[in-house]
Amino acid sequence: MNRTTRLDLLLQPRPPSPLREVRDDGFERHGVRLLLKRDDLVHPELPGNKWRKLAPNLRAAVRGGHPGLVTFGGAYSNHLRATAAAGRLLGISTVGVVRGDELAGRPLNASLARCAADGMRLHFASRSEYRRKNEPEVRAALLAAAGVGDAYVIPEGGSNALALSGCAELGRELRGEADVVAVACGTGGTLAGLAAGLGPGGRALGVPVLAGGFLGEEIRSLQRQAFGGPAGDWTLAEGFHHGGYARVPAELEAFAAGFEARHGVPVERVYVAKLLWALTELTAAGAFPRGTTLAAVVTGAPEPSGPAQADSSR
Ligand SMILES: *Cc1c(COP(=O)(O)O)cnc(C)c1O
């Protein structure tokens, strides 16, 4: 089977992911309807926004005849895992540049072990190099050290202009379905594309899962690259990161487990749990008028092996 055939199989047109209402007292009490956009069901191995962001990049890599893919991520990165899986499914080699050279030579955690099992070659970069990976000289040196030649480079988190176009499709699927469409944010690429795709009258709300940062500025910059300027109506709801990336305090764990038990929907802890928590809190605080319909994008699924472990290195 050649690469183009494999690509067609991987990217074959999929119906819009399901949108379904859940009846939850925390919302109903305030006259707010909650819909879940089950993007976690879009692909079994590249769930949710990872499929949306990777699909146009994989097409570009295969069309461009690149011999492989290279990308960047932390030790628990869902994006690294999705890229590794895409490489296996496409029969294309992948290299992952991983933050933290202290990890080199140590046993791999479950997430990196999955990457390796999918054939991804891992290159561990020092934290200072990793931080400067977007500077041209640092990037060139990193790629040379990783032994990467003419590979197709996908940025950290997979967020580039093509990725935003893939996420705009998610927005188009949701046009007219809800007053507010909410999504958890890491790099903000999904929100940036989603907001553009919702079109006039649509409103997107992003819930950052990382503490601090300059996410608003990054989203504006991503939209400039992808669309030439600001696109869509979006805002950020700050203050729901629960201590930082991959931190899952006991009250958040209990909330996520409760939601799963009530609705039979698996709740990914690093992003989706924080999104649902934020919507519950905002609704209780009266942020949405009675009669509002909210759509929460379920951007991913929990690891089969259980909830993600906290990334103590971040
Ligand atoms: C990667 C990821 C996100 C973050 O997406 P960004 O485009 O980087 O903001 C959200 N949810 C899940 C489940 C993810 O894996």
Side-chain angles (χ1 to χ4, degrees):
M1 200 171 24
N2 70 26
R3 262 188 201 160
T4 313
T5 315
R6 287 178 188 239
L7 184 71
D8 288 343
L9 278 175
L10 179 61
L11 305 182
Q12 58 191 283
R14 288 164 193 281
S17 60
L19 180 67
R20 77 166 178 86
E21 180 167 5
V22 293
R23 312 207 50 179
D24 195 277
D25 191 47
F27 295 87
E28 289 202 334
R29 211 185 313 150
H30 301 277
V32 172
R33 274 178 82 216
L34 177 66
L35 310 177
L36 296 183
K37 175 69 168 163
R38 294 293 306 274
D39 239 28
D40 55 318
L41 302 176
V42 90
H43 191 283
E45 294 197 69
L46 316 178
N49 65 349
K50 298 303 178 278
W51 187 87
R52 302 258 181 201
K53 296 205 278 189
L54 275 172
N57 279 292
L58 297 175
R59 217 174 270 128
V62 169
R63 288 209 182 124
H66 291 273
L69 304 170
V70 59
T71 194
F72 305 84
Y76 294 91
S77 163
N78 288 343
H79 164 67
L80 275 187
R81 264 207 325 284
T83 306
R88 170 171 51 74
L89 294 167
L90 280 179
I92 190 167
S93 69
T94 57
V95 174
V97 177
V98 184
R99 182 184 58 237
D101 54 0
E102 74 281 1
L103 299 171
R106 298 224 308 250
L108 299 176
N109 69 30
S111 186
L112 292 177
R114 274 272 291 286
C115 293
D118 278 342
M120 178 174 263
R121 199 154 53 71
L122 301 172
H123 175 79
F124 296 92
S126 73
R127 276 155 200 275
S128 60
E129 266 181 309
Y130 190 89
R131 206 173 304 119
R132 298 172 56 206
K133 64 189 170 308
N134 292 337
E135 297 173 21
E137 310 84 78
V138 177
R139 170 164 297 185
L142 263 177
L143 296 185
V148 174
D150 192 23
Y152 183 89
V153 179
I154 303 176
E156 180 178 42
S159 290
N160 58 10
L162 284 176
L164 264 63
S165 70
C167 295
E169 183 60 30
L170 166 64
R172 283 190 288 275
E173 288 177 19
L174 286 162
R175 274 189 188 179
E177 301 283 0
D179 301 299
V180 179
V181 177
V183 68
C185 299
T187 63
T190 305
L191 175 67
L194 167 73
L198 280 177
R203 200 182 134 200
L205 176 69
V207 175
V209 306
L210 284 94
F214 303 91
L215 195 59
E217 195 34 61
E218 280 161 33
I219 291 169
R220 279 184 282 277
S221 157
L222 283 167
Q223 288 198 329
R224 271 195 300 277
Q225 290 168 43
F227 311 119
D233 173 0
W234 58 269
T235 47
L236 295 175
E238 308 270 6
F240 297 105
H241 57 69
H242 291 264
Y245 184 75
R247 296 290 152 88
V248 186
E251 75 269 16
L252 181 64
E253 176 56 36
F255 167 83
F259 195 95
E260 287 178 329
R262 288 196 302 284
H263 305 300
V265 175
V267 176
E268 187 269 350
R269 299 298 198 263
V270 178
Y271 292 96
V272 179
K274 291 180 185 179
L275 168 68
L276 294 171
W277 170 289
L279 291 179
T280 306
E281 291 284 304
L282 290 168
T283 298
F288 307 111
R290 296 188 84 82
T292 298
T293 298
L294 296 177
V297 183
V298 180
T299 39
E303 277 303 275
S305 53
Q309 305 158 45
D311 178 357
S312 58
S313 64
R314 182 137 183 179

